[in-house]
Amino acid sequence: MTTVASSTAPRIAPALRRLYLVRFGFAIVWALLLFAIRSALGPVSIALLVLYPLFDAAAAVVDTRSSGAPGPARGLQVNIAISLLAAIGMAVACGSGVPDVLRVWGLWAIVSGLVQLVVGAVRRGMGGQWPMILSGGISVLAGASFVTSASAANPSLANIAGYAVLGGIFFLVSALRLGRAAKER
């Protein structure tokens, strides 16, 4: 596995930093809205559940365009496809109830977490990527937890909101670390 060359890092880092800050803000607002709804599946929660993977796909498109490096771009392209499939799966699962929503969300979290871990590892040379690597690993574990919790007596969407907050915090930390790495260069 190769890392992003340090000569490309100054060009990519500011765009990634802005993207990560936007992703942080989106995740926090999204989580607050979903948490306010709790475990009810209605028009607003369904829209939110489909919107999150669509936003993730759009963010990966922006990331791909700004990175220009082939290693991360391939992983990001995979993430775009996974997130679009997750949005479709989420729309279908919402018609079946909270357990199926948790299963689809969990599978998406596992696969996209693996991709995030790999992309972060490839980019580790530019700085600010350890939070992304950790976030990817935690996403895999959280995804498995969502799949398992789908079989609980009273499954809830509240844990998904917490997952989004934690992911948002990792994006914020990574953005701050990218800013610090840029100043050190």
Side-chain angles (χ1 to χ4, degrees), residues 50-114:
V50 173
L51 177 64
Y52 199 95
L54 290 175
F55 182 84
D56 189 65
V61 168
V62 171
D63 195 342
T64 301
R65 289 182 179 169
S66 66
S67 78
R74 279 191 294 275
L76 292 166
Q77 290 164 349
V78 168
N79 191 55
I80 293 166
I82 292 165
S83 294
L84 291 174
L85 288 173
I88 294 166
M90 194 57 57
V92 172
C94 285
S96 299
V98 172
D100 283 345
V101 166
L102 290 172
R103 287 182 190 99
V104 170
W105 194 277
L107 291 173
W108 176 51
I110 290 168
V111 177
S112 65
L114 288 170

Side-chain angles (χ1 to χ4, degrees), residues 105-118 133-147 163:
W105 194 277
L107 291 173
W108 176 51
I110 290 168
V111 177
S112 65
L114 288 170
V115 171
Q116 183 179 15
L117 198 151
V118 170
I133 293 169
L134 290 171
S135 178
I138 290 170
S139 185
V140 171
L141 297 174
S145 172
F146 293 136
V147 171
Y163 168 80

Side-chain angles (χ1 to χ4, degrees), residues 17-55:
R17 186 170 189 271
R18 283 189 301 276
L19 177 63
Y20 289 174
L21 289 171
V22 167
R23 292 193 73 164
F24 163 73
F26 176 83
I28 298 302
V29 170
W30 183 92
L32 289 172
L33 291 171
L34 187 67
F35 189 74
I37 294 167
R38 303 272 174 172
S39 61
L41 274 179
V44 175
S45 61
I46 291 170
L48 287 170
L49 289 165
V50 173
L51 177 64
Y52 199 95
L54 290 175
F55 182 84

